[in-house]
Amino acid sequence: SYELTQPLSVSVALGQTARITCGGNNIGSKYVHWYQQRPGQAPVLVISRDNDRPSGIPERFSGSNSGNTATLTISRAQAGDEADYYCQVWDSNTGVFGGGTKLTVL
Amino acid sequence: EVQLVESGGGLVQPGGSLRLSCAASGFTFSRYAMIWVRQAAGKGLEWVSVISGGNNSTYYADSVKGRFTISRDNSKNTLYLQMNSPRVEDTAVYYCAKGGVGAPIDCWGQGTLVTVSS
């Protein structure tokens, strides 16, 4: 079965750029979606199809996907960006989530 | 406004049964595939099942295949998850969400807690 690997945690200074990676075999051949989940809340889609931002998501959020790694980039990090972030792909009609990354804004 | 409201969660004994429901509003329900995703306490997201808009296609995670059944009633704008023979490891918050194979999951309910325990 297909697996996605994310770092357990990423830290970023306030106002700096955070990068969260998602590794998978030839992930560049798949669309990657990213979700933000704040404590006690349901997930929210922040990036779809590698680098599309849904309505209402700040331009500070962007994504890329190539080779074996997809990356979610959060520019000018704010305190409100502290959350868990999950990458997700579809593989043979099966949904696959990465293990999640906890983003801490220092 | 798109809304998804889950219900039916609670305490169930191992080997019992439970049916979750998800009431959808704010979009043409029958046109969209729907998904169940779960999350155990302190753990990550786990995809459970997906059903196409027209009921023609259903897919399941290996962990629930043969025990859980996803279905929908487009006349009632409602999604279901029938949980048969649940196990302790099925204990989780279950989210109903809008999205289909290949597509992003663009709307999530607030979740319903299922606890499997004797």
Side-chain angles (χ1 to χ4, degrees):
Chain A
S1 61
Y2 195 81
E3 294 185 355
L4 296 174
T5 301
Q6 296 183 237
L8 283 176
S9 63
V10 168
S11 297
V12 62
L14 187 68
Q16 298 303 302
T17 298
R19 294 179 179 84
I20 299 172
T21 59
C22 176
N25 184 33
N26 197 25
I27 194 174
S29 67
K30 303 178 183 297
Y31 276 135
V32 178
H33 316 296
W34 291 92
Y35 306 91
Q36 175 194 69
Q37 186 179 34
R38 295 189 173 104
Q41 296 186 17
V44 172
L45 178 69
V46 293
I47 290 290
S48 68
R49 296 184 174 91
D50 297 342
N51 193 22
D52 287 340
R53 273 180 297 102
S55 174
I57 301 302
E59 291 183 9
R60 301 184 298 104
F61 288 79
S62 64
S64 63
N65 184 19
S66 179
N68 292 320
T69 305
T71 303
L72 173 68
T73 301
I74 305 171
S75 304
R76 303 182 299 283
Q78 301 179 359
D81 298 333
E82 275 208 351
D84 293 327
Y85 290 85
Y86 296 88
C87 58
Q88 182 253 323
V89 301
W90 288 94
D91 179 68
S92 299
N93 299 315
T94 297
V96 181
F97 286 97
T101 298
K102 181 177 180 58
L103 178 67
T104 300
V105 180
L106 304 172
Chain B
E1 178 192 5
V2 175
Q3 280 200 327
L4 299 170
V5 179
E6 302 94 337
S7 61
L11 177 64
V12 60
Q13 291 189 340
S17 65
L18 193 68
R19 189 176 80 160
L20 307 183
S21 299
C22 171
S25 61
F27 65 104
T28 305
F29 181 69
S30 61
R31 291 185 182 177
Y32 293 92
M34 297 293 293
I35 291 168
W36 288 99
V37 175
R38 68 184 181 183
Q39 186 172 36
K43 303 296 185 181
L45 301 173
E46 181 186 11
W47 176 81
V48 173
S49 183
V50 62
I51 185 169
S52 64
N55 268 336
N56 293 332
S57 300
T58 58
Y59 301 97
Y60 299 90
D62 287 343
S63 57
V64 306
K65 198 174 296 182
R67 300 186 299 120
F68 291 8
T69 301
I70 190 172
S71 63
R72 63 193 297 162
D73 186 336
N74 288 340
S75 69
K76 296 182 179 179
N77 289 351
T78 302
L79 176 72
Y80 303 100
L81 185 68
Q82 179 69 42
M83 304 173 61
N84 293 334
S85 302
R87 304 166 180 165
V88 171
E89 54 265 35
D90 294 321
T91 296
V93 172
Y94 283 73
Y95 293 102
C96 160
K98 173 175 165 283
V101 174
I105 305 170
D106 61 7
C107 184
W108 300 67
Q110 283 305 303
T112 186
L113 176 62
V114 173
T115 302
V116 184
S117 174
S118 56

